[in-house]
């Protein structure tokens, strides 16, 4: 960290410009911390490495972002498990089994124990992980109260377009009505009746203005929203090792900051939606 406080000597190598895309909305802590990380990279490398952040899904869905990285149009991304699963399906183990984890601490413990295996698999596909993190629990937001499973059977439920076919088959066999959409389309579909419920972390429900339509939240720890920030191996290997070491130090710090801020802001978002927008939170009994 001390090395980051003073600019490194300018190398003779070419400037490496990295373009990073994310679905996280502009102006959120995710966006701001990523940009701060990029500024630290620029200063630590005397301008040899620059980072431009494209927030808010302006580079497309996570599937689009992964495709753009594969062809070299983008070099980095902050992805949820949905996007990481487009690179290697095993990443889904951290998020796509509802109520697998009893606490965020348990999820983080498992993630830390398994990260070496996940990172080796992603590296084999051409991606280097800079940091992992989670944004707290995904909740159910719905037009009408959803307290029991049967309450959701009459609802059209948002499912991310990057979800796999087997997941859709399971949902349908259980008698539910999933509708596959990109995140960018969720609010419009809520407004027009295309969907009645959405699974999302509260911070996304607030920043995405879902609260203007869905006034009910089911307080159930469904799944943690897990993700990682990755860079293509091609871009990473073009940077000298000493420079990469400096970059990793600030990336580790950014990962810790994003996780802490997003967990806190997720809880704060619920309070804001309750007080200002009339959100009703349905706490569930153990039964």
């Amino acid at each position: 960290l001390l090395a980051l406080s003073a600019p490194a000597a300018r190398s003779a190598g070419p400037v490496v410009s990295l373009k990073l895309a994310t679905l996280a909305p502009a102006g959120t802590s995710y966006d701001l911390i990523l940009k701060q990380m990029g500024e630290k990279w620029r200063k630590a490398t005397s301008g040899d490495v620059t980072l431009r952040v494209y927030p808010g899904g302006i580079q497309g869905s996570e599937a689009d972002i992964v495709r753009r990285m594969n062809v070299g149009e983008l070099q980095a991304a902050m992805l949820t498990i949905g996007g990481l699963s487009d690179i290697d399906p095993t990443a889904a183990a951290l998020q796509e089994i509802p109520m697998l984890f009893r606490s965020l601490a348990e999820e983080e413990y498992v993630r830390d124990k398994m990260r070496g295996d996940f990172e080796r698999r992603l590296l084999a596909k051409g991606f280097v992980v800079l940091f992992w993190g989670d944004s707290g629990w995904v909740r159910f937001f719905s037009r009408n109260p959803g307290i029991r499973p049967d309450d959701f059977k009459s609802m059209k439920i948002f499912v991310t377009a990057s979800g796999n076919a087997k997941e859709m088959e399971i949902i349908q066999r259980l008698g539910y009505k999933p509708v596959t959409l990109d995140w960018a389309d969720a609010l419009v579909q809520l407004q027009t009746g295309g969907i009645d419920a959405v699974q999302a972390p509260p911070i996304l429900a607030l920043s995405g203005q879902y609260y203007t339509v869905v006034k009910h939240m089911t307080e159930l720890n469904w799944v943690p929203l897990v993700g990682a920030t990755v860079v293509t191996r091609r871009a990473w290997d073009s940077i000298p090792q000493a420079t990469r070491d400096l970059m990793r130090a600030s990336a580790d710090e950014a990962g810790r900051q994003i996780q802490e801020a997003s967990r806190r802001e997720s809880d704060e978002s619920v309070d804001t939606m309750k007080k200002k927008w009339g959100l009703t939170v349905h706490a569930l009994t153990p039964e």
Side-chain angles (χ1 to χ4, degrees):
L1 289 178
L2 287 176
L4 292 174
S5 62
R10 181 62 187 253
S11 73
V15 173
V16 177
S17 298
L18 303 177
K19 292 185 242 181
L20 183 152
T22 175
L23 298 188
T28 59
S29 59
Y30 305 91
D31 177 38
L32 298 176
I33 293 170
L34 286 173
K35 288 174 179 174
Q36 291 169 4
M37 178 184 74
E39 181 61 14
K40 290 179 180 178
W41 285 358
R42 187 188 66 79
K43 289 182 178 179
T45 65
S46 297
D48 282 348
V49 176
T50 64
L51 178 71
R52 182 172 181 181
V53 178
Y54 295 86
I58 60 177
Q59 292 289 333
S61 67
E62 291 201 333
D64 293 330
I65 290 170
V66 171
R67 283 193 291 270
R68 287 174 181 267
M69 284 194 288
N70 280 326
V71 298
E73 293 178 0
L74 296 168
Q75 292 75 44
M78 185 168 70
L79 300 169
T80 66
I81 287 299
L84 294 172
S85 297
D86 286 335
I87 301 171
D88 190 277
T90 59
L94 289 174
Q95 184 175 304
E96 292 189 3
I97 305 175
M99 297 185 288
L100 174 67
F101 299 111
R102 292 167 292 186
S103 68
L104 293 176
E106 184 177 65
E107 171 268 316
E108 188 171 358
Y109 176 86
V110 172
R111 172 171 27 107
D112 287 345
K113 290 294 183 181
M114 297 183 69
R115 66 177 293 175
D117 183 56
F118 288 131
E119 290 180 10
R120 282 189 292 273
R121 291 173 179 271
L122 291 167
L123 184 63
K125 301 292 179 65
F127 294 86
V128 175
V129 176
L130 295 178
F131 61 81
W132 294 84
D134 69 66
S135 298
W137 295 107
V138 168
R139 308 288 197 186
F140 278 91
F141 292 86
S142 54
R143 197 181 307 275
N144 298 311
I147 299 172
R148 294 176 174 81
D150 281 351
D151 294 338
F152 288 94
K153 289 191 174 179
S154 62
M155 303 182 195
K156 290 167 286 192
I157 303 172
F158 169 92
V159 176
T160 176
S162 62
N164 60 63
K166 288 186 178 180
E167 181 183 1
M168 289 290 292
E169 183 182 348
I170 291 170
I171 296 170
Q172 290 169 334
R173 282 189 177 183
L174 290 171
Y176 299 94
K177 302 171 185 175
V179 178
T180 56
L181 296 168
D182 287 325
W183 281 108
D185 301 321
L187 179 59
V188 171
Q189 290 299 314
L190 284 169
Q191 292 169 333
T192 59
I195 55 174
D196 304 300
V198 59
Q199 307 167 54
I203 189 172
L204 182 57
L206 179 61
S207 63
Q209 300 183 9
Y210 303 160
Y211 60 81
T212 59
V213 182
V214 288
K215 299 294 185 179
H216 299 272
M217 188 193 89
T218 308
E219 195 171 43
L220 173 69
N221 293 342
W222 186 242
V223 292
L225 183 66
V226 182
T229 294
V230 299
V231 60
T232 63
R233 185 173 188 174
R234 183 187 308 165
W236 190 245
D237 287 348
S238 71
I239 301 169
Q241 181 63 54
T243 303
R244 297 202 301 256
D245 292 342
L246 292 174
M247 293 168 66
R248 275 204 178 275
S250 51
D252 287 342
E253 178 62 21
R256 287 191 292 271
Q257 290 176 345
I258 287 175
Q259 178 164 287
E260 290 170 4
S262 57
R263 285 183 181 183
R264 181 182 67 253
E265 290 168 3
S266 192
D267 293 336
E268 293 171 351
S269 296
V270 175
D271 291 337
T272 298
M273 288 186 285
K274 285 169 61 177
K275 293 174 182 176
K276 292 187 176 181
W277 308 106
L279 179 72
T280 300
V281 175
H282 299 278
L284 305 181
T285 64
E287 290 78 12

